[in-house]
Amino acid sequence: MKRPTIADIARRAGVSKGAVSYALNGQPGVSDTTRRRILAIADEIGFSPSSAARALSGARARAVGLALCRPARTLGIEPFFMGLISGVEAELSARSYALTLQVVADPDAEIAVYRRWWGERRVDGVLLCDLRTDDRRVPVLEQLQLPAVVVGGPDGTGALPGVWSDEAAALAETVEYLVALGHRRVARVGGLPELQHTRVRTDAFRAVCARLGLDRGDTVTVPSDYTGEDGARATRRLLSAARRPTAVIYDNDVMAIAGLSVAQEMGLTVPGDLSVVAWDDSPLCRLVRPPLTALSRDIPAYGGQAARLLLDAVAGVRVAAVRTPTGHLTPRGSTAPPRTP
Amino acid sequence: MKRPTIADIARRAGVSKGAVSYALNGQPGVSDTTRRRILAIADEIGFSPSSAARALSGARARAVGLALCRPARTLGIEPFFMGLISGVEAELSARSYALTLQVVADPDAEIAVYRRWWGERRVDGVLLCDLRTDDRRVPVLEQLQLPAVVVGGPDGTGALPGVWSDEAAALAETVEYLVALGHRRVARVGGLPELQHTRVRTDAFRAVCARLGLDRGDTVTVPSDYTGEDGARATRRLLSAARRPTAVIYDNDVMAIAGLSVAQEMGLTVPGDLSVVAWDDSPLCRLVRPPLTALSRDIPAYGGQAARLLLDAVAGVRVAAVRTPTGHLTPRGSTAPPRTP
DNA sequence: CTGAAAGCGCTTACAG
DNA sequence: CTGAAAGCGCTTACAG
C-alpha cells in the first residue's frame, strides 16, 4: 500500500501543501471550511504524518527514550519497571508520543546510547532511572542539553528536575511501626549500594533507629543486588546470627518473598518468629502466605507524573522537581509483635 | 550543543556529502584512504546520522515496534514479557535498532497503532504477540505490507512468519510425568481462552488425557485472565469440588504461586495432597516453598530469535516460520506421587 | 486567507 | 573514484 502524504491531501482538496500542514496542526492561516475539508480528507484516507519528515523539518521526533541499566534477570521479575513503563506509556500515548526502550549493560553503555539518540535526533527527551551517587549520566545529559527528567531525587540530580517521593519518611514510618509492635532488633536488606535511593534509605534507617534508641549492632543493613538469590543469602546470614533480628525490611518485593521462604525453611514462623516488610508493594506480595506487609506507592501514577514533566520540558516549559505522595505502609499478615522466646 | 552532520564531516575532509555517506555506509565509491579519513573524523566529532533524515531518504527507520495488549496489572507481574523484551533488545541493539514500545487497551487500539506507525514510517516492522484465534491484526498487517513476525504460531499466522515452539508436546510431557507419578485427576488453569496458544494447550491437554485413559470429568481446564486473583479463584473452585484434582497445571507462574498459597490455606500440603506445575518457569518459581516444578524455556533466546527473523524480513529476505526448542519440564519440590487418603 | 519556495540531513542514481 | 543534484515529506517564514 502506498502511504498517503500531505501532497495527496492537497491535491484532493485543491489547496497547497502548506495549507494542509496548517490545517492539520491547528495553525492559523486557513479558513474554517477549508480546514474542515482537509481534516475530513485526511481522516478518510487514513493519513498519519511521517514522523521522519516531521522530525527533519525541525519539529519534534515525538518520542522519548528510556534506557534501563539493570541486569536482565532483575528486570524480568521486578514488577516496578513494568508498572513504571505502563504509567509512562499511558501519558505518552494520550499525546501520541512513542516510547523508545533500550536495555543496556552498564552506565557507560547508557551514556553512549544517550549520545547516539541525541545525534540521531531520535528522541526529544529521556527519563533517567536508578539515579546513582555521583551519577556520571547527569552531566552528560546537561551538556547535551537533551531534555531529561530523573525518576528519583531530589538530591544528586544536578540541574535536571526529578520526580521523587520522601523515602526517608516512608522508612521512618515503617521502623516506628515495627518498634511500636515491640521489635528492637530490626534488620534491613538494602538494594544496590551505589543507587542514590538506597543511600537515602540507609541513612534514614540509621537515623530513625538512633532516634528510637535501638542498638546500632541490632539494626544493620545488608546490601544486595535485588535478586531473589541475593535476598535469600542475606536472610540466611541475618537469621544465623547469634542475636538474630525479629524483623527484616527488604528493599524490593522479590527479596522479601525469598526471605519469607528462607525463614520458613529455617523453621521460623512468619510473623511469629520474624516479621517481614517489602518495599515496594506489588501483586506478588498478596500472593504469598502470609501476605506481605509492604510499602505501597502508586507506581504507574509515578511514571505518569515523570512522563508529564518530561513532555513539559520538551515543550520548552521550565520545569522544577516534583514531589509525589509518600509511600504508606500497608500492614498484612507478615508483621506482628515479636514472640519472646 | 550543535549536532554534527555529514556536511560538517565533508567540509573537514574536503570531500562531498555523497562521499561521506558512501564511506559511512560501507558502500563502494570512495577510496580506502578517504574512507578511513572520513570515519576517523566522524568518530572524532561523535557523529550519529540523523535517524529522521535517514528514514526520510528511503532508508530504514531502524526501529521496530512492539505493541502490548494485556491489562497493565498483568503485564507488570508476569516475567514473560520482560524476558522477551530483554531478548529482543539484545538482538536489536547489536544492530543498533531501536525498540518502540506501546501499551494498548485492546486489539482495536493495537490495530490503530499499527496503522499509525505505518503511516508515520516510524518502525520498519513489528513483533506481534499474544496471537488470538481468528486474529484481526494479521490481515491488517498483511494488507499494510508492514514486515511482521508473530511470536507464536505456527497456525493462525496467515502469511506472516511465526516463531513458535511445540506447546502440545510440552504439555503432553507434563501430563505423562504426572500420570507416571500416579495422578489420575489432573486439572488445568488455562490462560485467556481467546489466545491461540491457550487453545493449542487446551486441545493438547484433552488429547493426551484421552490417550492416557484419564476420565474426562477429572481433567478439566478452567479459564483465567492470568492474574493471581483469578488463579486463586480457579484453584479454590477446583479444590472445593467433591472429586478434587491431585495435580494442577497453571498457564503462568503467577497463578501457580497463587494456587500454591490457596492450597496451603485450605489445609492441603504441596506436594502431598496436591502437585503444582507452572508454565512458564521463572525465578519466582524458585523463590516459593516448595519451589515449583515448571515448564522451562529460554525466553530471552526466544525473543532474540523473533527479533532476528524480523530484521531479516525488514531486510527483504523471504523468511519462513521458525520452530524453537520445545520447553522441558524442570521437576522441583511441588510435584510428587499423590497421597492416597 | 493562500500559494510558492526554501530547508531540515540524509541517500542514491547520474555524470564526469 | 568523486562531485553536483534531486528527492524523501514535512514545516515555516515570505510574498501575494
Side-chain angles (χ1 to χ4, degrees), chain B residues 190-243:
Chain B
L192 290 166
E194 59 267 35
L195 297 185
Q196 169 80 12
H197 77 261
T198 301
R199 188 168 155 174
V200 168
R201 293 179 190 179
T202 301
D203 290 350
F205 183 58
R206 201 169 291 146
V208 68
C209 289
R211 176 158 61 75
L212 297 176
L214 302 185
D215 188 299
R216 183 130 177 198
D218 288 342
T219 54
V220 294
T221 291
V222 183
S224 79
D225 65 3
Y226 288 117
T227 61
E229 295 87 72
D230 221 30
R233 200 174 310 131
T235 306
R236 241 172 251 123
R237 216 175 92 199
L238 286 169
L239 298 185
S240 309
R243 285 172 64 81

Side-chain angles (χ1 to χ4, degrees), chain A residues 3 118 261 265 287 289, chain B residues 3 101 118 261 265 287 289:
Chain A
R3 297 174 169 90
W118 173 80
S261 298
E265 222 166 55
L287 286 185
R289 296 303 116 153
Chain B
R3 297 172 169 90
L101 189 76
W118 173 81
S261 298
E265 221 167 55
L287 286 186
R289 295 304 118 153

Side-chain angles (χ1 to χ4, degrees), chain A residues 251-334:
Chain A
D251 260 13
N252 76 1
D253 45 359
V254 168
M255 294 195 297
I257 293 171
L260 175 66
S261 298
V262 165
Q264 291 171 343
E265 222 166 55
M266 292 175 75
L268 301 178
T269 66
V270 174
D273 299 313
L274 183 74
S275 284
V276 169
V277 178
W279 189 344
D280 291 302
D281 194 9
S282 82
L284 293 177
C285 295
R286 258 162 287 148
L287 286 185
V288 294
R289 296 303 116 153
L292 300 183
T293 294
L295 261 157
S296 313
R297 276 190 294 178
D298 186 342
I299 296 167
Y302 187 53
Q305 178 66 65
R308 236 169 303 140
L309 201 64
L310 179 56
L311 291 178
D312 281 349
V314 166
V317 179
R318 260 202 110 55
V319 296
V322 168
R323 173 174 161 174
T324 60
T326 304
H328 61 274
L329 199 69
T330 302
R332 297 201 186 94
S334 68

Side-chain angles (χ1 to χ4, degrees), chain A residues 4 47 86-87 107 128 138 143 145 159 183 193 202 235 242 250 254 286 329:
Chain A
F47 172 79
S86 73
L128 191 72
V138 171
Q143 180 215 355
Q145 299 190 45
H183 294 274
T202 300
T235 306
Y250 292 87
V254 168
R286 258 162 287 148
L329 199 69

Side-chain angles (χ1 to χ4, degrees), chain A residues 201-270:
Chain A
R201 293 180 190 179
T202 300
D203 290 350
F205 183 59
R206 199 169 293 145
V208 68
C209 289
R211 177 159 59 77
L212 297 175
L214 302 184
D215 187 301
R216 182 129 179 197
D218 288 343
T219 53
V220 295
T221 290
V222 184
S224 79
D225 66 3
Y226 287 118
T227 61
E229 294 87 72
D230 221 30
R233 199 174 311 131
T235 306
R236 240 172 252 123
R237 215 175 92 200
L238 286 169
L239 298 185
S240 310
R243 286 172 63 83
R244 59 169 181 74
T246 59
V248 182
I249 302 170
Y250 292 87
D251 260 13
N252 76 1
D253 45 359
V254 168
M255 294 195 297
I257 293 171
L260 175 66
S261 298
V262 165
Q264 291 171 343
E265 222 166 55
M266 292 175 75
L268 301 178
T269 66
V270 174

Side-chain angles (χ1 to χ4, degrees), chain B residues 32-57:
Chain B
D32 239 42
T33 30
T34 311
R35 184 187 304 274
R36 256 197 293 277
R37 191 152 42 92
I38 289 172
L39 289 176
I41 295 174
D43 196 55
E44 185 198 331
I45 66 178
F47 172 79
S48 305
S50 154
S51 55
R54 218 179 211 179
L56 189 55
S57 43

Side-chain angles (χ1 to χ4, degrees), chain A residues 1-5 46-56 61-63 68 72-73 75-83 85-86 89 92-93 96-104 115-123 143-146 228-229 232 236 254-255 257-258 260-262 264-265 282-284 286-289, chain B residues 1-5 46-56 61-63 68 72-73 75-83 85-86 89 92-93 96-104 115-123 143-146 228-229 232 236 254-255 257-258 260-262 264-265 282-284 286-289:
Chain A
M1 262 180 83
K2 202 195 156 295
R3 297 174 169 90
T5 68
F47 172 79
S48 304
S50 154
S51 55
R54 219 180 210 178
L56 190 54
R62 299 192 79 83
L68 253 26
R73 68 205 159 117
L75 263 187
I77 47 167
E78 252 187 309
F80 177 82
F81 280 107
M82 267 302 192
I85 288 174
S86 73
E89 260 300 323
L92 291 182
S93 41
S96 47
Y97 256 72
L99 177 67
T100 296
L101 189 76
Q102 175 117 30
V103 179
V104 293
R115 289 194 187 282
R116 184 160 55 76
W117 279 347
W118 173 80
E120 293 180 339
R121 298 146 182 77
R122 194 181 271 283
V123 300
Q143 180 215 355
L144 293 177
Q145 299 190 45
L146 187 59
E229 294 87 72
R236 240 172 252 123
V254 168
M255 294 195 297
I257 293 171
L260 175 66
S261 298
V262 165
Q264 291 171 343
E265 222 166 55
S282 82
L284 293 177
R286 258 162 287 148
L287 286 185
V288 294
R289 296 303 116 153
Chain B
M1 261 179 83
K2 201 196 157 296
R3 297 172 169 90
T5 69
F47 172 79
S48 305
S50 154
S51 55
R54 218 179 211 179
L56 189 55
R62 298 193 80 82
L68 253 27
R73 69 205 157 117
L75 264 188
I77 49 167
E78 251 187 309
F80 177 82
F81 279 108
M82 267 302 192
I85 288 174
S86 73
E89 259 301 323
L92 291 182
S93 41
S96 48
Y97 255 73
L99 177 67
T100 295
L101 189 76
Q102 175 117 31
V103 179
V104 294
R115 290 194 187 282
R116 184 160 56 76
W117 278 348
W118 173 81
E120 293 180 340
R121 298 147 182 77
R122 194 180 272 281
V123 300
Q143 180 215 354
L144 293 176
Q145 299 191 42
L146 187 60
E229 295 87 72
R236 241 172 251 123
V254 168
M255 292 195 298
I257 293 171
L260 174 67
S261 298
V262 165
Q264 292 170 342
E265 221 167 55
S282 82
L284 292 178
R286 257 162 289 150
L287 286 186
V288 294
R289 295 304 118 153

